[in-house]
Amino acid sequence: MTRKDKTGKRIIKDSLFPVSLFAIYLGVLLLMSGIHQGLVVLMNALALNSFIQPLIPTIYWSAVAVGLTFFTRKKIKDTYEAPLHRLAEATEQVAGGDFSVYVPTVHTSDKLDYLDVMILDFNKMVEELGSVETLKTDFVSNVSHEMKTPIAIIKNYAELLQMKNVSEEEKLEYAENIREAAGKLSALISNILKLNKLENQRIDPEIESYDLCGQLEECILQYEELWDEKELELEVDIEEGAVIQADPSLMELVWNNLISNAIKFTEPGGKVTIRQTGTSDHVEVSVSDTGCGMSRESVRHIFDKFYQGDTSHSKEGNGLGLALVRRILDLMNGEIQVISEKGKGSTFTVKLPRQKEGKAGIGG
């Protein structure tokens, strides 16, 4: 585990070479000096001639210098050159599209220097790039799959319309199927564009103060025909008014997605409950249904792009609605939670900050 100071910053050594290196050199030189003195004493005792006496110390100290040079060279190579070479090779692999690269640090986590930190940051960057590449690949694959179905429907029914002996009733049926497939394709493209703009922050939310309760009522009324068609019991419990600061058009997408999902996944004769409560700081809206519910695995992935836990209803959507909801709420400083149990329905709860009294809206 990386050591950190009291402020939470990583503790990094200023130098690649430890202070102990001075002690090593000092100890070696003192030892070599002692041996040198011994050699001088030995040469005097042996009464060597004047030519050999200066030659032996010269050879000796040359050997010491060579040894220290090799030691220093190895230290520099192990501490500096080898890690940089590994990092350069890893960078080349990443540039070639290999995101499985991992570069080991030189020191342990409690003795990191700035080169170790650079390596750790590089590993983290590669991991993130790998995740992005995986998401990109999955996204393209999912988009291709989702587009393929409505395009195939449009193509097949268009071919049927061109056939002879097609009755007027059949023509109307084929045309209606083409219209529905085209509508699904249009909704898919629209949601992809919206999600892309939101994730890349190319949409500037138009924040203003407005009554959330009034907006909820309007959204609920839009689905009146669907309530009646499926004979659903609708329970609505909201306050007379709750002012929040958010982008009304984006928040409308949130409510429409949650309400339409509740209707879609509730069997005929079931019940949908919409409740709005609040505290002095927050407003909460919950949308509950008595539908098919979700498994724990589905709950974990429900906000992922194109994820559809209940494949029996996949023809009614494209798996982007809840991904849009999550991103919008992130922009609005809101939260969303889901509680669900297989066969017992689901409850989505949205939590938004309430506008403080006396605080003017940014766009209002």
Side-chain angles (χ1 to χ4, degrees):
M1 187 174 180
T2 305
R3 291 176 61 197
K4 297 183 179 180
D5 60 18
K6 293 180 180 179
T7 63
K9 293 183 179 180
R10 288 183 292 196
I11 298 175
I12 305 170
K13 293 192 296 182
D14 293 331
S15 173
L16 291 174
F17 297 100
V19 178
S20 59
L21 201 59
F22 168 76
I24 293 173
Y25 280 122
L26 180 61
V28 169
L29 290 173
L30 289 174
L31 178 61
M32 295 301 104
S33 297
I35 295 175
H36 171 78
Q37 293 296 328
L39 284 174
V40 172
V41 172
L42 180 62
M43 287 187 296
N44 290 332
L46 294 174
L48 298 177
N49 62 49
S50 58
F51 174 76
I52 296 179
Q53 282 200 13
L55 183 61
I56 291 177
T58 302
I59 295 173
Y60 169 74
W61 282 110
S62 296
V64 171
V66 169
L68 287 174
T69 300
F70 276 111
F71 174 77
T72 305
R73 179 77 183 94
K74 185 178 185 304
K75 198 72 177 175
I76 292 174
K77 184 177 180 181
D78 293 345
T79 308
Y80 185 71
E81 290 183 354
L84 282 181
H85 285 158
R86 288 196 296 268
L87 194 59
E89 291 172 1
T91 303
E92 186 177 357
Q93 288 178 267
V94 172
D98 182 2
F99 300 107
S100 63
V101 176
Y102 175 80
V103 182
T105 56
V106 180
H107 303 97
T108 56
S109 59
D110 59 333
K111 297 177 181 178
L112 297 178
D113 56 35
Y114 61 85
L115 183 56
D116 292 315
V117 172
M118 186 169 69
I119 291 171
L120 287 173
D121 290 339
F122 173 82
N123 289 334
K124 184 178 180 181
M125 179 190 72
V126 173
E127 185 180 350
E128 292 294 330
L129 285 172
S131 299
V132 170
E133 185 65 21
T134 301
L135 287 173
K136 178 184 173 183
T137 303
D138 290 345
F139 185 79
V140 172
S141 175
N142 285 321
V143 168
S144 301
H145 176 74
E146 290 292 334
M147 284 186 171
K148 191 181 295 182
T149 303
I151 289 174
I153 292 172
I154 292 170
K155 180 176 179 292
N156 291 338
Y157 281 108
E159 290 174 352
L160 288 173
L161 282 173
Q162 292 177 331
M163 295 176 63
K164 296 178 180 180
N165 303 322
V166 178
S167 67
E168 287 299 319
E169 184 179 345
E170 287 174 327
K171 286 181 180 179
L172 289 174
E173 180 186 347
Y174 299 160
E176 176 62 20
N177 288 331
I178 290 174
R179 187 192 67 79
E180 289 180 359
K184 180 177 180 181
L185 189 59
S186 175
L188 172 63
I189 294 171
S190 177
N191 280 341
I192 289 172
L193 292 174
K194 287 176 186 174
L195 192 57
N196 182 58
K197 288 180 179 179
L198 286 169
E199 289 188 334
N200 291 282
Q201 296 186 336
R202 289 203 295 267
I203 289 181
D204 293 324
E206 296 180 4
I207 307 297
E208 61 181 75
S209 299
Y210 74 96
D211 181 18
L212 170 65
C213 299
Q215 185 181 53
L216 280 173
E217 291 173 356
E218 291 175 5
C219 290
I220 292 169
L221 289 173
Q222 291 178 22
Y223 295 93
E224 187 174 2
E225 289 185 10
L226 290 176
W227 305 119
D228 295 338
E229 184 181 329
K230 296 186 75 171
E231 298 181 346
L232 298 178
E233 179 185 350
L234 172 64
E235 181 180 332
V236 179
D237 181 12
I238 60 177
E239 297 175 316
E240 292 185 4
V243 179
I244 63 170
Q245 278 192 314
D247 185 319
S249 61
L250 291 178
M251 289 307 302
E252 186 176 351
L253 287 173
V254 172
W255 311 130
N256 284 340
N257 268 290
L258 295 180
I259 294 171
S260 64
N261 279 346
I263 297 172
K264 178 170 68 175
F265 291 106
T266 302
E267 297 299 324
K271 180 179 180 180
V272 173
T273 304
I274 300 173
R275 283 196 174 90
Q276 180 271 313
T277 58
T279 65
S280 58
D281 296 322
H282 293 89
V283 174
E284 285 191 5
V285 177
S286 64
V287 180
S288 305
D289 62 66
T290 58
C292 56
M294 294 178 285
S295 64
R296 290 183 179 180
E297 180 68 16
S298 294
V299 171
R300 279 198 295 269
H301 297 284
I302 195 64
F303 296 105
D304 295 349
K305 301 185 194 75
F306 295 105
Y307 184 81
Q308 294 176 323
D310 181 9
T311 55
S312 66
H313 289 80
S314 61
K315 64 180 181 179
E316 301 176 36
N318 48 53
L320 287 176
L322 290 175
L324 268 172
V325 167
R326 166 65 69 82
R327 182 59 185 143
I328 290 170
L329 291 173
D330 286 344
L331 291 174
M332 300 297 115
N333 296 319
E335 301 173 7
I336 184 167
Q337 295 179 334
V338 55
I339 298 174
S340 185
E341 189 175 344
K342 197 74 173 175
K344 294 187 178 181
S346 305
T347 297
F348 288 84
T349 302
V350 173
K351 187 176 181 180
L352 292 162
R354 185 192 289 270
Q355 179 188 324
K356 300 295 184 181
E357 292 185 10
K359 185 176 180 181
I362 295 173

